[in-house]
Amino acid sequence: MNQYVELYNEIKGQLDKMCPPVLNAQREEAMQTFQRLGFPTRKVERYRYTDVEAAFAPNYGISLAPLTIKNVPYVYSVKEAPVDVTPYYNKVADSSGDALTALNTALCHDTLVVHVPRGEKAKTPIRIENILSGQQSTMIIRRVLIIMEEMAEATLLFVDHQTSSEEDEQSNTSFLTLQVIEVVCKDGAHLDMYEMEETTEQCRRFSNLYVNVGRDCSVRHNNVTLTNGVTRNGIDVHLCGEGADVVLNGAVIADRAQHVDNNTLIDHQVGHCTSNELYKYVLDDKAVGAFAGRILVRENAQQTYSQETNNNMCTSEDARMYTQPMLEIYADDVKCAHGATVGVMDAQALFYMEQRGIPEEVARTLLKYAFISNVIDEMRWDSYRDRLHLLVDKRLSKEGRCGSCKICK
């Protein structure tokens, strides 16, 4: 922790000069919070499955490069935002109770603002791509503020890529991404949000997403991890207005020594709201997966409907999956359910396919694909859904094609 306190003290003057007052006003208090809390240990319930301090241990240099925005509609740097962000910035995020969110707030040097005006519908999806490259181990502080005004509609795609070359791998070039996304959906807004990670084993990614959902809003969040090193995603969704509808979908494919931890909270604060959550993992080799999903139904949240499901497939003896679905209900007129499964590949289905001439490795690939594909089918963006099916097939087929049978050709 001390190295990040020292880093903050070294660059604070530079940050104060280059950043607008709305960012600087939160900085000192956030650093004090980080110093008070320290890096979360495994004794902190929401971080029990990820060794945070180990991931932050290397001496990362920090990138203070300004945001580059090239004619992306509705997307601005905080200095050029068309609205005053003071009522929103660091108001949805839990920087007082989460050490990593506090560290992000303290070191934040720019903020990406996505603003969709009242009653406006974005005609095309808004794509934000983050490409990690370079020859020096770097920490990247990323902050995003999404403001959906009343009756606004938009589709957003966040993609994390890391370029990988033999030179990078030999030099052990690594990246640490510390991301915080705040979303404000005002009454009647509709937001479809997609996040996809395609990085390498040298990447450490910690992301916290905070969403406030207003009356009669619809929010769908789809999170896909295809390749990574260590990933920990935190998602906090607060249903603040009646008639709100939230869907969380997640798909994880991990092998080798990859680590993926998804921790979610859906907070039903008022009545007549719905939430659905589906996460699926396919783990191979020595991969480690974790899912902890908490549904909180408060006392006044009558007529709540909520469904939470986590299904997992471990295809090797060394793969590990930790799952913790939770319901916390204080209202009596609700319909809520949750469940989780952890299993291995269906031996009978595998045998059936082999008996019909399908090579074993190809059969295993097909079963993995069939297991996880229904998460992708839930996505409403047609072209992205089709593209993702191809990417998942490519990811799973990396070592599962013989090249000789009709299926593989």
Side-chain angles (χ1 to χ4, degrees):
M1 183 181 75
N2 291 336
Q3 61 179 316
Y4 292 97
V5 176
E6 293 174 2
L7 175 64
Y8 170 76
N9 292 330
E10 289 176 7
I11 66 173
K12 184 179 183 302
Q14 185 179 352
L15 290 172
D16 289 341
K17 290 180 181 179
M18 65 186 295
C19 298
V22 65
L23 303 188
N24 293 332
Q26 310 283 340
R27 202 177 304 285
E28 188 62 34
E29 182 179 354
M31 176 50 65
Q32 291 176 4
T33 299
F34 173 70
Q35 289 181 270
R36 173 175 57 84
L37 296 175
F39 282 118
T41 67
R42 292 183 183 271
K43 293 182 179 180
V44 177
E45 182 64 25
R46 299 197 69 178
Y47 287 91
R48 65 183 298 184
Y49 299 114
T50 300
D51 190 343
V52 177
E53 194 164 9
F56 279 77
N59 289 319
Y60 290 99
I62 189 169
S63 173
L64 296 179
L67 293 172
T68 302
I69 303 171
K70 298 181 180 179
N71 300 321
V72 182
Y74 308 108
V75 180
Y76 312 87
S77 169
V78 66
K79 296 177 182 178
E80 301 172 351
V83 294
D84 180 12
V85 302
T86 305
Y88 310 106
Y89 177 77
N90 206 39
K91 299 298 189 295
V92 183
D94 183 20
S95 61
S96 63
D98 185 276
L100 297 189
T101 299
L103 181 60
N104 176 284
T105 304
L107 297 178
C108 180
H109 65 282
D110 206 344
T111 296
L112 194 72
V113 178
V114 180
H115 177 255
V116 183
R118 177 187 174 93
E120 193 160 332
K121 181 178 180 180
K123 296 180 180 179
T124 59
I126 302 167
R127 180 185 176 96
I128 300 172
E129 189 169 7
N130 305 297
I131 302 177
L132 309 179
S133 62
Q135 298 300 318
Q136 180 181 1
S137 296
T138 304
M139 178 171 65
I140 297 170
I141 303 296
R142 186 181 302 142
R143 189 76 175 227
V144 182
L145 174 61
I146 301 170
I147 304 171
M148 302 289 296
E149 301 286 1
E150 291 87 350
M151 307 303 293
E153 296 183 27
T155 298
L156 276 74
L157 171 63
F158 291 86
V159 181
D160 272 4
H161 290 294
Q162 180 177 341
T163 59
S164 179
S165 65
E166 293 183 4
E167 186 176 355
D168 288 342
E169 293 176 359
Q170 291 174 0
S171 63
N172 293 321
T173 301
S174 61
F175 292 89
L176 172 64
T177 299
L178 181 56
Q179 173 176 275
V180 172
I181 302 176
E182 296 180 276
V183 181
V184 178
C185 283
K186 298 185 180 180
D187 294 351
H190 295 267
L191 174 65
D192 273 18
M193 186 173 172
Y194 299 81
E195 288 191 76
M196 182 174 69
E197 181 179 4
E198 281 189 298
T199 56
T200 69
E201 290 183 273
Q202 286 74 40
C203 187
R204 308 289 182 261
R205 182 179 186 270
F206 290 82
S207 175
N208 284 333
L209 168 67
Y210 301 91
V211 187
N212 277 2
V213 187
R215 178 186 293 270
D216 297 324
C217 284
S218 173
V219 175
R220 298 174 71 96
H221 181 263
N222 305 276
N223 194 6
V224 179
T225 304
L226 293 180
T227 54
N228 73 305
V230 174
T231 297
R232 194 272 180 184
N233 297 311
I235 302 173
D236 287 22
V237 181
H238 303 278
L239 287 78
C240 308
E242 292 191 354
D245 176 55
V246 170
V247 176
L248 301 183
N249 290 320
V252 174
I253 301 173
D255 53 18
R256 291 174 287 186
Q258 295 164 358
H259 179 104
V260 184
D261 178 2
N262 286 295
N263 190 293
T264 69
L265 165 66
I266 299 178
D267 180 4
H268 287 262
Q269 298 182 356
V270 297
H272 302 278
C273 295
T274 62
S275 65
N276 285 275
E277 185 171 10
L278 173 63
Y279 269 75
K280 283 194 169 186
Y281 290 61
V282 174
L283 305 176
D284 202 353
D285 300 329
K286 296 183 178 181
V288 175
F291 171 83
R294 179 186 174 207
I295 306 295
L296 172 60
V297 182
R298 297 184 184 269
E299 185 176 357
N300 296 324
Q302 305 293 345
Q303 293 289 309
T304 290
Y305 172 85
S306 181
Q307 174 68 47
E308 179 186 56
T309 306
N310 173 225
N311 300 129
N312 311 283
M313 177 188 290
C314 294
T315 61
S316 73
E317 293 183 358
D318 294 324
R320 294 289 180 269
M321 181 68 204
Y322 303 91
T323 180
Q324 188 181 20
M326 295 170 279
L327 285 177
E328 189 174 343
I329 302 173
Y330 298 98
D332 52 16
D333 186 9
V334 301
K335 185 177 180 180
C336 301
H338 70 314
T341 61
V342 180
V344 297
M345 191 168 290
D346 189 331
Q348 288 187 341
L350 187 62
F351 176 76
Y352 179 89
M353 297 172 73
E354 288 184 76
Q355 289 297 102
R356 279 144 185 81
I358 300 176
E360 180 183 354
E361 287 302 314
V362 177
R364 289 180 176 274
T365 296
L366 292 173
L367 289 174
K368 293 176 187 177
Y369 179 83
F371 177 80
I372 208 165
S373 62
N374 71 317
V375 178
I376 303 169
D377 290 336
E378 293 291 322
M379 300 178 185
R380 298 192 293 195
W381 180 6
D382 294 342
S383 59
Y384 178 75
R385 183 180 63 241
D386 295 341
R387 172 63 177 164
L388 200 53
H389 272 299
L390 292 175
L391 291 174
V392 169
D393 177 65
K394 180 180 178 181
R395 171 72 170 91
L396 292 173
S397 301
K398 191 174 182 181
E399 296 178 357
R401 291 186 177 272
C402 64
S404 59
C405 68
K406 292 183 180 179
I407 294 176
C408 293
K409 287 184 177 180

